[in-house]
Amino acid sequence: MITFYLLNYFIRSHIRLLNHDLPNIKKTSQLRIMSTNLLVRYKAWGGRPVKPRASLFLSLVDKTSPDVICVQEMCMSWFCILSRHLPKRYRIVQPLRSYISVRMTNLIYDSDRFILRFSKSIRFKKGLIPQTRRMTYAMFEDKSTHKTFIVISTHLSLIFPRTMNKDLKIMKSQTKELIKLVSELKKYQCPIYIGGDFNAKERLGKERFGDASEIYDYLSSALTDARYNTTEYHHGKGRRQHTPMRDHIFSTEKSVNHFYDVSLHVLDSMSDHYPIFIDTDL
C-alpha cells in the first residue's frame, strides 16, 4: 500500500512539473471530439513506458478541453494513470473488463457538460486481440440544450506481409460490422461520430503496402470523412496537410466546422500517432 501511494505521488509530481510547449486551441463550436491512439506500453507493439508519455497527453487534454475522446490502445498502465489524473470532470465510459485487463478501445467524456445515456462495447466477430479490436459507443445528452449525439471509438485490424489476403478479409468484415452498427444507431435520429485508428489510408498519390485504401474507400462511401468536409482545416508541422492518415473521424453529418490535425513535434514522444479532433455544432 505504501508503495502504491509513493508511486501515485511521484506520477502527480512528474506531471505537475512538466511544462509542455502545447498551444491552447480555443473551442470554436458547441462540441469538440478528439480521437487518439495512445500506444500501449507493450514492447512487442513498439510501446514505451506510459508515465512520461501520459504527462504529454494530460497536458494536451488540459490545453484543448475535448468534450469526448475516442481512445485506442489504452492498456492497464494508461487506464490507471488516466483514471487518477484526468481532470475530475472526465469519466471513462467502459472501465475495467476484468481485474487484469481493460477495454483498450474506449471513450472518455466531460461529465460536467454531458449525461451518459447508454453505452456498449462490442468485440468484432473476426480479428485477434478482443480488448482492442472492437467498437465502443455511447449516447450523450447536453445538459443545457438536451440535444443528443452518439460517438463510436474503434480500432480495426491491420495488414501484415505474410497474411495479407487473410488480414484484408478481416478488415472488410470489421468495416461491414461498423457500418451496420451505424445504420442501426440511426434510429435514435441524432448525429453519429466515429473516431478511431482504422489502419486504412486515403488513396492519395502512390499507394504503399498496408495502406488498405480500399477499406478507406468503403468507409468514405458510406460515411462522411470530416477531414475533407470541413469549413476550416488546421494542421501542425509534424506532417503535410495532404499526407494520408490511418486515423479518421467519420460522421453521419454532411460537414463539421473545424478539423484539427494535432501533428506537433512536441507530441512525437507521446505515441506513434498524432491526435485529431473536430469542432462542430449540435
Side-chain angles (χ1 to χ4, degrees), residues 226-242:
R227 184 184 186 190
Y228 299 104
N229 295 273
T230 180
T231 304
E232 292 191 27
Y233 182 96
H234 312 265
H235 70 100
K237 297 181 179 180
R239 58 184 165 209
R240 296 180 181 179
Q241 180 173 348
H242 300 293

Side-chain angles (χ1 to χ4, degrees), residues 13-258:
S13 301
H14 181 77
I15 292 170
R16 185 171 58 249
L17 290 173
L18 283 173
N19 181 20
H20 298 296
D21 185 23
L22 291 171
N24 287 297
I25 304 176
K26 185 178 179 181
K27 190 178 295 182
T28 61
S29 307
Q30 295 173 333
L31 179 64
R32 173 167 286 179
I33 298 175
M34 175 182 286
S35 183
T36 180
N37 184 316
L38 298 175
L39 181 62
V40 295
R41 68 167 295 169
Y42 311 145
K43 289 184 178 180
W45 290 28
R48 301 177 297 279
V50 167
K51 184 169 58 182
R53 298 190 289 122
S55 64
L56 269 169
F57 178 70
L58 291 165
S59 179
L60 178 68
V61 171
D62 179 61
K63 296 290 181 68
T64 58
S65 297
D67 295 308
V68 182
I69 310 172
C70 304
V71 292
Q72 302 88 45
E73 297 193 25
M74 186 179 71
C75 59
M76 180 60 79
S77 298
W78 272 109
F79 176 84
C80 291
I81 290 177
L82 295 183
S83 61
R84 295 187 182 98
H85 300 294
L86 277 168
K88 291 184 178 179
R89 68 182 189 275
Y90 284 106
R91 298 285 185 272
I92 299 174
V93 168
Q94 292 280 336
L96 289 172
R97 174 180 172 271
S98 69
Y99 290 108
I100 58 173
S101 66
V102 297
R103 293 184 174 95
M104 296 186 203
T105 301
N106 218 317
L107 292 163
I108 299 169
Y109 73 102
D110 184 344
S111 63
D112 284 354
R113 282 201 63 200
F114 302 101
I115 299 169
L116 175 63
R117 284 302 180 196
F118 61 77
S119 66
K120 190 173 183 179
S121 193
I122 304 171
R123 173 186 174 181
F124 285 119
K125 293 178 181 177
K126 292 185 178 180
L128 302 175
I129 322 174
Q131 291 94 339
T132 186
R133 307 302 186 208
R134 61 194 309 116
M135 304 173 288
T136 299
Y137 66 89
M139 174 185 276
F140 303 99
E141 178 184 333
D142 189 305
K143 290 183 178 181
S144 60
T145 66
H146 302 292
K147 291 182 178 179
T148 59
F149 62 98
I150 294 172
V151 182
I152 303 172
S153 179
T154 193
H155 193 175
L156 302 189
S157 293
L158 71 164
I159 297 176
F160 293 98
R162 294 183 179 179
T163 54
M164 181 176 64
N165 293 332
K166 178 182 177 182
D167 295 337
L168 190 57
K169 288 180 180 178
I170 289 173
M171 292 186 78
K172 287 180 178 177
S173 173
Q174 292 173 347
T175 304
K176 288 179 179 178
E177 283 189 69
L178 176 61
I179 292 175
K180 181 181 178 183
L181 173 63
V182 172
S183 180
E184 291 172 351
L185 292 174
K186 284 182 179 179
K187 66 184 178 184
Y188 294 104
Q189 298 182 335
C190 65
I192 303 172
Y193 301 95
I194 310 98
D197 177 3
F198 293 86
N199 279 308
K201 295 183 178 181
E202 306 97 312
R203 200 183 297 274
L204 300 175
K206 186 177 180 181
E207 186 176 0
R208 298 181 180 181
F209 174 82
D211 284 355
S213 295
E214 65 179 281
I215 300 299
Y216 174 85
D217 290 344
Y218 183 44
L219 285 163
S220 59
S221 68
L223 302 165
T224 299
D225 186 344
R227 184 184 186 190
Y228 299 104
N229 295 273
T230 180
T231 304
E232 292 191 27
Y233 182 96
H234 312 265
H235 70 100
K237 297 181 179 180
R239 58 184 165 209
R240 296 180 181 179
Q241 180 173 348
H242 300 293
T243 302
M245 299 191 301
R246 298 184 184 276
D247 304 278
H248 307 282
I249 297 177
F250 292 101
S251 78
T252 56
E253 303 302 288
K254 292 182 178 179
S255 65
V256 299
N257 295 344
H258 294 262

